[in-house]
């Protein structure tokens, strides 16, 4: 820390700091809470951030900061007044840091202004104002605010009332001992994998232990995010781990339950894969809808207005959050049913509960989409195209086919293709080449669906339709096969493909765009993989080779996707964000 005599001296001192370091500029008269300064000066997710009287800049914003400081110095003089007259800038901009933040924004550099709530951060201009500011600071418990803010503002009922009241203190305990969110996330994963292993024993004692360990894993899962918010330890690796481990834990647990059931004489692999497919499709509905409306213009809807009105009534908020069976409620249900019942009952409850939740959320989103007047942006259309995961076959069709016009044409064509593909896999004789013909029709319709930019009111349904077509086709063909262990092999294939789709979502959320096109082409796109599985089912009818082929395909997809994903998320181009997670 160095003290500058005036604005000109501050510019000289800042210019001497090595280029790769974050810098901060704080008015010496600053009065406020330490946590207010943490929020304004230490969050790594933003290139520049400010609170009243303080400003920080990451290396990428250093140049803009120096230019703004020199411009401010030239305007008021190196030793000029720090406080502007009452007719000048807004109160937050009357200090040198405030002036510079305004200049940065005017020149196009985004400056984050974190919400401080009851925290104090101000620059008093006289003794009376300073006494008032210090009194306001002393009246608020900085640590209590920090603990409250560690908990997500919007979470499920079970998480809010059964986990967060004590998990925040576990997060503080971890912070005081130097533990990182990534370490807690990894501990949560390991605990869940041990729970899956306990479930795989197929014994009542194993099921009870599995249920308890799954709840412990969820407590740790809540703790890692709270630790990140408590200590502002956001990182690129944390974003990747937190975004993917929840899915890995849940789906690994499904597999453990299925293995345990088989050991007990009850084969529920079809139910396990069905539960995973349903949950993955629920997620893609959430992701696709949110991306389609992320930056919608004139985003208004009577349905949205009704939803906001219901949110003003306390009990309806919690009821609606519980209806969607968020991760807290879902994992609690799985844990209790595992300990007290059988894997088959666990999967029946999952399928019924998630199906009802999917109907509720999808119906609400359909109503919002049909009643709102909004213009979709090019960014939203590109995000939907990336989520569609079209491979070279569909892209080839889209390149030569004229774009189909009509407000609801794209989702209608995608739905038709999905019904043709799933219907062929389900109703045609197993191993029939007519199923391959259905796959060819699906390829053509998939290309037609994405031949035009996805800017229609319901075009966000296109990616979920494609996910359902691919996942359900793999499930149905594996279930109808006489090949031993085909469904577990299909479970592995869907897991590998689903990881790719989740990875795509979190890259888009981080603002870095979808995975590279070479990756999508290498793993074939949704239509290529679906057609390939249909061909394999026809060629390897009633042969163990179908299981081997599904396993080999799963391993190949997993290797390519994981290597590229790990390379990206540990690279300097990965977004420094911490995923807050979704209710589902």
């Amino acid at each position: 820390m160095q003290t500058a005599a005036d604005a000109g001296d501050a510019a000289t001192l800042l210019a001497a700091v090595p280029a790769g370091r974050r810098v901060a500029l704080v008015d010496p008269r600053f009065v406020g809470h330490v946590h207010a300064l943490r929020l304004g000066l230490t969050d790594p997710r933003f290139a520049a951030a400010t609170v009243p009287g303080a400003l920080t800049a990451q290396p990428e914003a250093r140049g803009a900061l120096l230019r703004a400081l020199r411009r401010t110095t030239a305007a008021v003089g190196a030793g000029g007044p720090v406080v502007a007259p009452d007719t000048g800038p807004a109160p937050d901009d009357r200090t040198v840091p405030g002036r510079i933040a305004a200049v940065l924004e005017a020149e196009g550099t985004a400056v984050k202004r974190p919400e401080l709530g009851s925290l104090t951060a101000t620059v008093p201009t006289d003794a009376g104002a300073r006494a008032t500011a210090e009194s306001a600071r002393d009246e608020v418990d900085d640590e209590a605010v920090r603990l409250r803010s560690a908990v997500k503002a919007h979470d499920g009922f079970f998480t809010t009332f059964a986990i967060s009241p004590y998990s925040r203190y576990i997060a503080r305990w971890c912070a005081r001992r130097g533990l990182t969110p990534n370490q807690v996330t990894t501990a949560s994963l390991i605990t869940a994998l041990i729970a899956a292993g306990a479930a795989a024993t197929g014994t009542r004692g194993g099921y009870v232990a599995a249920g308890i360990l799954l709840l412990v894993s969820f407590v740790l899962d809540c703790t890692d995010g709270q630790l990140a918010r408590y200590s502002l330890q956001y990182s690129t690796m944390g974003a990747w781990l937190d975004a993917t481990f929840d899915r890995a834990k849940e789906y690994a647990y499904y597999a453990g339950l299925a293995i345990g059931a088989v050991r007990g004489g009850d084969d529920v692999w079809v139910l396990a894969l069905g539960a995973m497919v349903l949950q993955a499709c629920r997620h893609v509905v959430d992701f696709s809808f949110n991306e389609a409306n992320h930056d919608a213009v004139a985003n208004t809807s009577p349905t949205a207005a009704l939803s906001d009105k219901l949110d003003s009534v306390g009990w309806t908020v919690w009821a609606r959050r519980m209806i969607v069976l968020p991760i807290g409620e879902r994992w609690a249900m799985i844990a209790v049913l595992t300990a007290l019942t059988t894997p088959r009952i666990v999967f029946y409850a999952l399928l019924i509960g998630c199906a009802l939740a999917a109907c509720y959320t999808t119906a609400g989103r359909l109503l919002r989409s049909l009643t709102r007047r909004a213009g979709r942006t090019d960014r939203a259309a590109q995000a939907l195209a990336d989520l569609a995961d079209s491979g070279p076959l569909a892209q080839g069709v889209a390149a030569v086919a004229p774009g189909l016009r009509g407000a609801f044409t794209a989702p209608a064509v995608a739905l038709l293709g999905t019904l043709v593909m799933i219907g062929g896999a389900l109703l045609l004789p197993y191993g029939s080449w007519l199923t391959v013909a259905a796959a060819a029709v699906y390829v053509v319709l998939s290309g037609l669906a994405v031949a035009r930019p996805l800017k229609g009111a319901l075009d966000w349904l296109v990616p979920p339709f494609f996910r359902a077509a691919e996942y359900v086709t793999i499930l149905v063909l594996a279930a109808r096969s006489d090949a031993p262990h085909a469904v577990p092999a299909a479970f592995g294939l869907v897991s590998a493909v689903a990881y790719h789709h989740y990875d795509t979502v979190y890259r888009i959320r981080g603002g870095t765009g979808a995975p590279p096109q070479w990756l999508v082409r290498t793993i074939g796109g949704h239509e290529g993989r679906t057609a390939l599985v249909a061909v394999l089912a026809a060629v390897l009818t009633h042969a163990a080779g179908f299981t081997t082929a599904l396993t080999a395909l799963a391993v190949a997809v997993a290797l390519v996707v994981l290597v590229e994903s790990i390379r990206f998320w540990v690279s300097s181009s990965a977004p420094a964000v911490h995923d807050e997670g979704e209710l589902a």
Side-chain angles (χ1 to χ4, degrees), residues 314-541:
W315 70 269
T316 65
V317 176
W318 297 117
R320 291 166 67 210
R321 291 184 188 175
M322 293 174 69
I323 288 173
V324 301
L325 203 63
I327 188 170
E329 277 76 355
R330 191 168 68 251
W331 282 30
M333 179 185 74
I334 293 171
V336 171
L337 291 179
T338 298
L340 301 179
T341 64
T342 65
R344 182 172 289 273
I345 293 177
V346 173
F347 287 124
Y348 281 154
L350 267 175
L351 289 167
I352 294 171
C354 289
L356 293 175
C359 290
Y360 170 77
T361 55
T362 304
R365 283 163 183 166
L366 285 171
L367 286 174
R368 290 188 183 213
S369 299
L370 292 172
T371 58
R372 72 168 28 128
R373 297 177 180 178
R376 297 271 158 66
T377 63
D378 291 338
R379 178 206 173 278
Q382 183 59 53
L384 291 180
D386 292 334
L387 289 174
D389 192 33
S390 299
L393 296 178
Q395 290 176 356
V397 172
V400 300
L404 299 176
R405 298 183 179 277
F408 308 119
T409 302
V413 171
L415 175 59
L416 178 60
T418 299
L419 293 176
V420 168
M421 188 66 255
I422 295 177
L426 188 63
L427 302 177
L428 292 172
Y430 177 78
S432 170
W433 283 95
L434 290 177
T435 305
V436 178
V441 173
Y442 174 66
V443 168
V444 173
L445 293 176
S446 298
L448 293 176
V450 296
R452 290 176 62 84
L454 298 176
K455 292 187 176 183
L458 297 180
D459 284 359
W460 57 270
L461 287 169
V462 171
F465 285 149
F466 290 162
R467 292 299 81 74
E470 180 179 5
Y471 297 167
V472 175
T473 296
I474 296 172
L475 167 61
V476 169
L477 292 178
R480 296 186 67 192
S481 169
D482 290 336
H485 309 301
V487 180
F491 190 98
L493 177 56
V494 172
S495 298
V497 174
Y499 177 87
H500 163 61
H501 291 143
Y502 285 120
D503 186 52
T504 300
V505 167
Y506 290 110
R507 292 197 198 205
I508 294 173
R509 281 186 170 184
T512 56
Q517 273 298 302
W518 70 260
L519 175 65
V520 177
R521 289 193 297 268
T522 299
I523 60 176
H526 70 92
E527 80 291 349
R529 292 186 298 269
T530 305
L532 177 58
V533 172
V535 171
L536 292 174
V539 172
L540 303 172
T541 306

